[in-house]
């Protein structure tokens, strides 16, 4: 099993712009030349990036640590319009996040940490990704996903381009589920899961109803104007990610028979990878809900067209 050196890069402000600056100006230089690395965004203790780099010796880890520390200090200088996250604002936000939790378990938010670089310990989520024997498969996918997302964000995409990229990437990933009806059901299950999460996080029923209605309207427009967004990408880094998911899929299916919950465990593992991809892109839970609703409608429309 690979050895990972881990850091948390705590940010002064929760803005998407500061996250992207940290990725471009701190993470990208740090991982240049490294073969195995991945990142994700997180909120516990304040907005931060979690970076893991594999198989570093002590000297290399120290050099990367020093360079990231210097670069992060510059990134944490507030830009125009940014304000430092204060403890009261963090606690109000984190309370809902902690209550919503993960996989039905609440999370202790912890206190707000000061902006800066912290060494951390990487604890693999064996249960979420099929067990200890299969975690290397997921770590390999984390690396591929991180590389393709960072390369995409380096191009400074518009929000419109980011949504299109996310939809086609998710469509590529879901192609590992051979049955079209099962792909559509997986999307709808993911959307319902995020809707339940938002409810636990404190969203009112009126807010949830508005979100569902807006997602439905946007889905209808895209079905009419951009049906290609449900087509898998066949070349480049996203296609490579899709091929790696396809290679992992039979191994995930092999553990499903031991799971008694309604949704196959293989689909739940795939869902976790889709979530981590969206997380790396910077998508909120509400945006993920939208992506899955739209993709379900696009896939359903495509199947209806094919059956004619």
């Amino acid at each position: 099993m690979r050895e990972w050196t881990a850091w948390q890069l705590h940010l002064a402000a929760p803005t998407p712009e500061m996250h992207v600056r940290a990725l471009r100006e701190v993470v990208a230089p740090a991982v240049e030349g490294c073969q195995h690395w991945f990142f994700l965004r997180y909120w516990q203790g304040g907005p931060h990036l979690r970076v893991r780099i594999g198989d570093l010796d002590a000297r290399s880890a120290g050099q990367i640590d020093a360079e990231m520390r210097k670069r992060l200090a510059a990134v944490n200088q507030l830009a125009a319009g940014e304000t430092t996250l204060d403890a009261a604002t963090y606690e109000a936000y984190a309370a809902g996040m902690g209550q919503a939790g993960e996989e039905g378990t609440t999370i202790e938010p912890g206190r707000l940490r000061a902006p800066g670089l912290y060494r951390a310990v990487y604890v693999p989520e064996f249960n979420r990704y099929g067990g200890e024997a299969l975690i290397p498969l997921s770590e390999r996918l984390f690396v591929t996903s991180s590389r393709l997302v960072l390369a995409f964000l380096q191009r400074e995409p518009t929000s419109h381009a980011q949504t299109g990229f996310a939809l086609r990437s998710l469509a590529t990933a879901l192609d590992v589920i051979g049955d079209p009806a099962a792909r559509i059901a997986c999307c709808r299950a993911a959307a319902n899961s995020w809707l339940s999460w938002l409810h636990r996080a404190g969203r009112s029923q009126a807010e949830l109803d508005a979100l569902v209605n807006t997602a439905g309207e946007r889905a209808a427009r895209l079905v009419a104007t951009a049906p290609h967004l449900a087509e898998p990408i066949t070349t480049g880094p996203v296609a490579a990610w899709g091929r790696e998911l396809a290679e992992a899929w039979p191994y995930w299916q092999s553990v499903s028979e031991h799971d008694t919950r309604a949704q196959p465990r293989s689909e739940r593992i795939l869902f976790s990878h889709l979530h981590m991809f969206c997380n790396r892109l910077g998508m909120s839970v509400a945006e993920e809900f939208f992506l899955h609703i739209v993709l379900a409608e696009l896939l359903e429309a495509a199947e209806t067209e094919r059956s004619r």
Side-chain angles (χ1 to χ4, degrees):
M1 190 169 293
R2 198 173 304 284
E3 293 291 329
W4 298 93
T5 305
W7 289 269
Q8 293 183 10
L9 286 65
H10 280 258
L11 306 175
T15 63
E17 292 80 9
M18 182 168 281
H19 278 83
V20 173
R21 289 204 306 275
L23 285 168
R24 290 180 183 149
E25 299 173 24
V26 184
V27 177
V31 300
E32 186 175 0
C34 297
Q35 187 175 2
H36 307 288
W37 60 271
F38 63 94
F39 78 91
L40 68 156
R41 306 177 191 227
Y42 211 67
W43 59 272
Q44 196 173 10
H48 65 277
L49 301 172
R50 296 187 175 184
V51 177
R52 287 82 185 251
I53 303 179
D55 301 334
L56 291 177
D57 57 35
R59 181 173 178 272
S60 297
Q63 290 173 335
I64 289 173
D65 188 290
E67 188 64 22
M68 283 203 297
R69 198 171 298 276
K70 180 175 68 175
R71 289 177 175 271
L72 183 59
V75 165
N76 271 330
Q77 299 301 308
L78 300 178
E82 291 179 336
T83 56
T84 303
L85 180 65
D86 62 85
T89 301
Y90 163 72
E91 288 168 9
Y93 168 78
M97 296 285 286
Q99 182 61 39
E102 293 181 355
E103 297 192 323
T105 303
T106 59
I107 297 174
E108 173 54 48
R111 292 187 176 184
L112 179 64
R113 272 184 151 180
L117 185 72
Y118 298 84
R119 291 294 285 266
V121 176
Y122 168 54
V123 181
E125 296 182 276
F126 295 129
N127 186 56
R128 176 175 289 189
Y129 292 104
E132 186 171 355
L134 295 184
I135 200 69
L137 282 176
S138 284
E139 289 174 343
R140 175 185 168 193
L141 285 158
F142 298 159
V143 171
T144 302
S145 172
S146 295
R147 286 182 182 277
L148 72 91
V149 168
L150 184 57
F152 177 75
L153 293 176
Q154 293 277 40
R155 307 204 302 257
E156 301 186 26
T158 64
S159 60
H160 178 75
Q162 186 161 308
T163 298
F165 174 73
L167 283 168
R168 293 210 62 194
S169 297
L170 295 188
T172 303
L174 284 163
D175 209 42
V176 304
I177 303 176
D179 177 35
R183 284 199 295 271
I184 295 166
C186 187
C187 285
R188 297 205 182 281
N192 288 335
S193 172
W194 286 128
L195 204 62
S196 296
W197 189 95
L198 289 165
H199 175 72
R200 296 196 304 274
R203 295 287 187 99
S204 69
Q205 190 59 50
E207 289 174 314
L208 297 178
D209 290 343
L211 183 64
V212 170
N213 291 336
T214 300
E217 291 168 1
R218 293 176 71 185
R221 286 198 298 272
L222 289 177
V223 166
T225 61
H228 69 282
L229 292 177
E231 297 172 3
I233 297 173
T234 57
T235 60
V238 175
W241 181 53
R243 288 192 295 271
E244 288 184 18
L245 285 165
E247 291 168 5
W249 184 247
Y251 294 95
W252 296 339
Q253 287 183 305
S254 72
V255 300
S256 293
E257 63 188 54
H258 305 298
D259 199 305
T260 58
R261 283 183 281 185
Q263 188 183 20
R265 193 175 187 186
S266 52
E267 292 185 12
R268 297 203 307 277
I269 296 171
L270 178 62
F271 168 76
S272 290
H273 279 281
L274 302 187
H275 171 53
M276 286 295 97
F277 170 83
C278 292
N279 168 286
R280 293 181 176 107
L281 267 180
M283 298 285 189
S284 69
V285 168
E287 287 168 330
E288 280 194 61
F289 166 78
F290 160 74
L291 290 174
H292 286 290
I293 284 289
V294 168
L295 197 51
E297 295 296 328
L298 287 167
L299 291 169
E300 199 161 85
E303 280 308 297
T304 300
E305 186 65 26
R306 270 193 287 270
S307 66
R308 287 178 179 173

